Amino acid sequence: MKKYLAVILAAVMLLGGALAEGLTEYSDANYSFQYPADWIRDATQDGTVILKSPEGNAYVRADLLLMDLITLTGDETTDARFIQVLMKSFAGEGTDGTENNLVLDGSWELVTAGGLHGFRAPGTWKPTGEPAVLTVFTGGGSMASFLMVGETAAALEETLTSSLKLTDRTTESVDGMKTWESDKLRLCYPDTFKMLDIGQAGVIVFAEITESLSMINVMTSELPDTEYTDDYGLETMREVLKQAGEGLLGDAEIKTIGGRNVVAAEGSAGDTPGAVYVLGRGKTVVVLNFAGTNAVSAAETVIASMEFK
């Protein structure tokens, strides 16, 4: 009997990671989850996954944001202020000033998915008046969300959330610095700063949330028809200074940091020190904006650590 029991348990363990009947899986380098195989999957230009029911009367919007700026802990008191910020970002005004279609009723509850902590917030999809549910989870340096519109979509909540897996992108601190990298660039930043990948135009933000906020903004772009030169860096800096306005930064100059030429402009806005640097290699151009005392003091260390791929 024990022998047969052992065989059955082994089979159960092997099948435990398999897809349940009627389900399929979405998976990329950052996260994965399961959903009904008969639902239609699409994606937007920014990588958002859209699932539509076979009848077309319900849909799910799945998003992944690389960031550790907000980390939910499962403690209601600790998480409450972060949840309020996230709810407002999902259901507040759009970036173009238009009203969001998602209307949350203001209530929320803590939820878990495996080892991930998150929250669930009910509401309404304004264009159709249908019920909507928002779930958000953080872990491993990422934030995943599911917006479910319509009763059929809301019924998938357990399937989606229980199968959610986030790739662990946390890095260890070495000598007070952490490492961040993309497909074009690798750099180190102070471990007191948190990371937010905006996901647009290659923009990454590192922020130190203290009484005196410090921020490091990194924008990476590709040149279509030429390769980077110091002259191109100077011209780019002139455009940056023009947009920043007069009196905030000094004149552009070429400095050597970490053994490479860097176009630099330094100054301040009131009591807040700031500095902007432009550098590049091949077709890759990087503009770094440092604002705040701790960010500016780390600027040369960050730049010296940069590696182009």
Side-chain angles (χ1 to χ4, degrees), residues 134-145:
L134 172 69
T135 60
V136 179
F137 297 89
T138 67
S142 301
M143 182 180 75
S145 64

Side-chain angles (χ1 to χ4, degrees), residues 114-158:
L116 303 174
H117 294 292
F119 71 92
R120 177 185 191 275
T124 304
W125 190 246
K126 191 173 182 180
T128 61
E130 292 179 289
V133 178
L134 172 69
T135 60
V136 179
F137 297 89
T138 67
S142 301
M143 182 180 75
S145 64
F146 296 108
L147 171 58
M148 295 155 277
V149 177
E151 293 183 359
T152 307
L156 296 183
E157 182 178 352
E158 176 64 22

